[in-house]
Amino acid sequence: MSRYWVQRLGFALLGLIALAVVAPILVVIGTIVVEGMGAISWEFITAMPFDGMKQGGIFPALVGTLLLTLGTALVAIPIGVGGTIYLAEYARDTWVTRCIRLAIVNLSGIPSIVYGLFGLGMFVLFLRMGTSILAGALTLGIMTLPVIIITAEEALRAVPTEFRTVSASLGGTRWQGIRYIILPQALPGIITGIILGLLRAAGETAPILFTVAAFFLPRLPQSPFDPTMALPYHLYVISTQVPGMPLQIQHGTALVLLALVLSMNLVATIIRSYFRRRRQW
Amino acid sequence: MLAQRQAEAAGADWREFVIEALIRVLGFSTIGFVLLIFLFLLREGVPSFYKVPLSNLFGISWYPTFGLFGTLPLLLGSVLVTVTAILIAMPLGIATAVFVREVAPNWAREILKPMIEVLAGIPSVVLGFFGMHVVAPLIRETLGTPTGLTVFTGGLLLAYMALPTIISVAEDALDATPKSYKDAGLAMGATQWQTIWRVVVPAARSGITTAVMLGMGRAIGETMAVMMVTGNAARMPLSLDSLFKPARTMTATIAAEMGEVAQGSIHYHALFGIGIILFILTFLINVAAAATIFKKQRRGGLR
């Protein structure tokens, strides 16, 4: 067999493998959309669950997830963006900086359930926040940091060095250069990082198991110190803990969660590709 | 206008000082968070190491209601599921990375990359849900096992959850191999296929190793999907057919039991003890992965 035939067969095989990686993703999304579509109605989105969650909607879980994501954003954005600016603009290559990088790699590698334990130990019990949106948002916020920092740092580093030197040559201080030149240029990348981080947080179950989530709580939270239902945990509960749960409600809940996360993903992709095309340097 | 600028500049002095100090603090905060996480795990978990005899703690039965806290079956469960996942994900991931980076036409790349990102974004509870309802029944029917909730089912799902990490890191590694290597290979008369497997991939070896290790770290820490599809039986997976029997991982044990234990009980401390094991395991995996990255940077000059 000639080596060009080997190559042709090899490439075809690689293509098939790539297909085997991608096709199941479509199957997962397709199955959940097809099976869950029937459950979706205005009432399903906006009504309280009742009859042991076998009837009604998912409103409190949806609101809970939105509030949690908002709280996570409030925690993670200032810390993440500040930390990124330090790493990209101030840090020199010393052993301390290497420790920071190692810490970020580790934060991104710590299992989500261990974040849950940490949140329980520190926020819920030690700081006496109880199971609350606050405790969950803090836990998820710390978990989200590495995603934001890694993506945003890339965006800051992509801004050419000349921008910094020109800013300095015009008499701008270092901070003015960052504030008025670097950050605006890197903004799309930073926002992409934030969205990618938040969509992870929105879909996470393990970190909120013991820090926020209520099994069944058919009312909206009144303050950050209240527990709340949340979509991912709700999906776990109704698919494993409640016997006789109608399948359609399970699929409907999965569909809403999937739609929420994928639409955030889509927004991030659009922002990134739009600005990449418009960038002039 | 100028006067206003000057006044601003004077006021900016101390303001900038404060801002820069704050940025410094935020920069260092990540180290603080890692330390805090470890500290609180130790605080709640260490009591299990002196309240429970070590022979019990590293024994082979986990029956908390009878005071048996043997973590060995859970550890082995995690290892078995993770190894299964990596054995599936490693060839798929490397092949896909090579395809995307070296072979695929532009249009295929434009479809593949966003799809893989979508996979990374699918919540693990949704994948677990899909696994319960679609994958598990499929495995039960094709293999004729009594239940579809097995180590293999969990490993299969985990493989797909580890794939985005493996693919994107391996792709970066392939991208970082100098173009001159490839040109040299082709100029020597090798086909593209030969150049890829004998020049480009070996040159990217350390980066690909990092990719696989990071994927392994993800797999061992995964909780929800694993809990929903591996059957949660805390037994020693020793026989050959363990692959097609239920098992239970460390992560699933914490998730399933923490909600029901009394705070401060031995069981509570033992679950945090498992958390310490998980933290140390993933820490070691990530340090090892990062070490390969640092080594590559130090080699320098090659690009």
Side-chain angles (χ1 to χ4, degrees):
Chain A
M1 195 160 61
S2 101
R3 55 201 190 116
Y4 293 98
W5 272 104
V6 173
Q7 163 157 327
R8 222 167 280 178
L9 278 177
F11 283 179
L13 183 68
L14 287 183
L16 281 179
I17 292 179
L19 192 68
V21 168
V22 173
I25 307 171
L26 293 173
V27 173
V28 171
I29 296 174
T31 309
I32 288 172
V33 169
V34 170
E35 301 278 330
M37 222 39 197
I40 306 294
S41 64
W42 184 243
E43 193 212 346
F44 186 69
I45 307 284
T46 59
M48 293 290 169
F50 60 94
D51 186 20
M53 296 185 265
K54 286 180 189 123
Q55 291 187 51
I58 53 167
F59 188 54
L62 183 60
V63 171
T65 285
L66 294 179
L67 287 175
L68 259 180
T69 310
L70 180 71
T72 306
L74 293 179
V75 175
I77 292 175
I79 304 179
V81 174
T84 309
I85 295 177
Y86 177 77
L87 269 182
E89 303 294 328
Y90 289 88
R92 286 193 211 103
D93 189 22
T94 60
W95 67 271
V96 188
T97 310
R98 276 203 211 124
C99 281
I100 296 179
R101 293 195 185 283
L102 195 61
I104 292 169
V105 171
N106 272 299
L107 278 182
S108 73
I110 293 174
S112 53
I113 188 74
V114 174
Y115 276 101
L117 287 179
F118 161 68
L120 173 68
M122 177 160 176
F123 301 122
V124 175
L125 299 174
F126 183 71
L127 296 177
R128 295 174 196 285
M129 292 175 188
T131 41
S132 60
I133 295 179
L134 182 64
L138 286 166
T139 310
L140 287 173
I142 295 175
M143 196 192 76
T144 309
L145 280 181
V147 183
I148 296 184
I149 294 179
I150 291 169
T151 321
E153 195 192 347
E154 224 171 278
L156 287 186
R157 290 209 180 273
V159 180
T161 323
E162 292 78 17
F163 283 43
R164 296 174 182 84
T165 42
V166 166
S167 160
S169 72
L170 292 171
T173 61
R174 195 175 199 172
W175 170 247
Q176 281 171 334
I178 294 170
R179 168 73 185 79
Y180 296 103
I181 311 289
I182 314 284
L183 281 185
Q185 292 293 332
L187 198 61
I190 297 174
I191 292 175
T192 309
I194 290 171
I195 298 177
L196 288 179
L198 290 181
L199 81 89
R200 289 273 163 80
E204 273 290 357
T205 316
I208 61 173
L209 280 174
F210 336 117
T211 52
V212 219
F215 191 84
F216 178 60
L217 188 71
R219 60 183 169 80
L220 297 184
Q222 303 298 313
S223 81
F225 300 100
D226 281 354
T228 176
M229 293 175 82
L231 267 183
Y233 182 58
H234 186 63
L235 177 59
Y236 169 67
V237 165
I238 61 175
S239 59
T240 63
Q241 311 285 308
V242 185
M245 193 72 201
L247 252 180
Q248 202 175 41
I249 292 192
Q250 300 181 32
H251 277 109
T253 310
L255 177 57
V256 174
L257 177 59
L258 197 61
L260 181 75
V261 169
L262 291 188
S263 57
M264 287 169 80
N265 211 327
L266 188 67
V267 171
T269 311
I270 290 174
I271 292 179
R272 189 169 33 191
S273 66
Y274 177 74
F275 281 95
R276 190 168 287 167
R277 235 177 297 125
R278 257 195 31 171
R279 192 158 67 188
Q280 280 147 18
W281 32 273
Chain B
M1 186 66 193
L2 185 66
Q4 191 196 343
R5 280 268 164 208
Q6 279 169 341
E8 261 174 27
D13 253 7
W14 65 269
R15 243 188 6 222
E16 277 188 17
F17 180 77
V18 172
I19 289 172
E20 293 194 339
L22 189 66
I23 284 175
R24 248 164 244 278
V25 172
L26 293 177
F28 287 107
S29 67
T30 45
I31 298 181
F33 289 132
V34 173
L35 292 178
L36 267 181
I37 291 172
F38 194 47
L39 195 79
F40 271 91
L41 289 179
L42 286 182
R43 188 182 123 101
E44 306 290 332
V46 159
S48 65
F49 291 101
Y50 58 79
K51 281 188 178 163
V52 183
L54 284 184
S55 59
N56 181 352
L57 207 57
F58 294 102
I60 57 166
S61 347
W62 174 268
Y63 291 116
T65 35
F66 300 113
L68 292 175
F69 296 101
T71 48
L72 215 51
L74 312 178
L75 188 67
L76 284 181
S78 281
V79 169
L80 194 60
V81 175
T82 305
V83 168
T84 312
I86 287 302
L87 285 181
I88 301 171
M90 193 165 71
L92 290 186
I94 295 174
T96 307
V98 167
F99 183 74
V100 169
R101 184 54 65 182
E102 306 287 336
V103 181
N106 266 331
W107 61 266
R109 192 173 306 152
E110 296 295 315
I111 297 173
L112 285 171
K113 293 200 72 161
M115 285 300 294
I116 290 162
E117 256 177 55
V118 163
L119 177 61
I122 297 178
S124 76
V125 68
V126 172
L127 279 178
F129 175 76
F130 177 81
M132 275 174 65
H133 287 290
V134 180
V135 184
L138 205 66
I139 284 181
R140 192 185 57 221
E141 279 158 29
T142 45
L143 297 175
T145 46
T147 165
L149 305 176
T150 64
V151 170
F152 180 73
T153 323
L156 190 62
L157 278 195
L158 274 190
Y160 275 85
M161 304 188 69
L163 272 173
T165 311
I166 297 181
I167 294 173
S168 72
V169 179
E171 232 191 284
D172 286 345
L174 291 173
D175 191 39
T177 33
K179 191 172 176 299
S180 55
Y181 284 26
K182 201 173 13 172
D183 292 344
L186 294 173
M188 296 294 281
T191 59
Q192 224 182 323
W193 176 256
Q194 289 166 330
T195 312
I196 289 173
W197 293 105
R198 296 185 198 173
V199 179
V200 180
V201 170
R205 205 174 38 217
S206 74
I208 293 176
T209 314
T210 307
V212 174
M213 279 198 290
L214 290 177
M216 194 154 70
R218 271 220 68 182
I220 207 162
E222 227 320 295
T223 312
M224 300 313 290
V226 173
M227 177 158 68
M228 291 162 89
V229 301
T230 40
N232 291 327
R235 39 186 287 285
M236 292 292 284
L238 288 180
S239 58
L240 267 178
D241 58 351
S242 298
L243 197 57
F244 299 105
K245 285 192 172 157
R248 177 189 259 207
T249 64
M250 296 188 281
T251 50
T253 305
I254 301 174
E257 294 177 7
M258 186 51 98
E260 285 142 30
V261 302
Q263 187 216 325
S265 65
I266 295 182
H267 190 182
Y268 168 90
H269 291 306
L271 291 177
F272 269 94
I274 299 176
I276 296 178
I277 300 176
L278 272 173
F279 181 94
I280 292 176
L281 264 182
T282 47
F283 184 86
L284 291 178
I285 292 174
N286 283 305
V287 169
T292 9
I293 298 176
F294 286 138
K295 214 189 305 170
K296 192 179 73 191
Q297 278 174 352
R298 225 172 294 141
R299 196 174 60 189
L302 272 178
R303 287 190 73 172

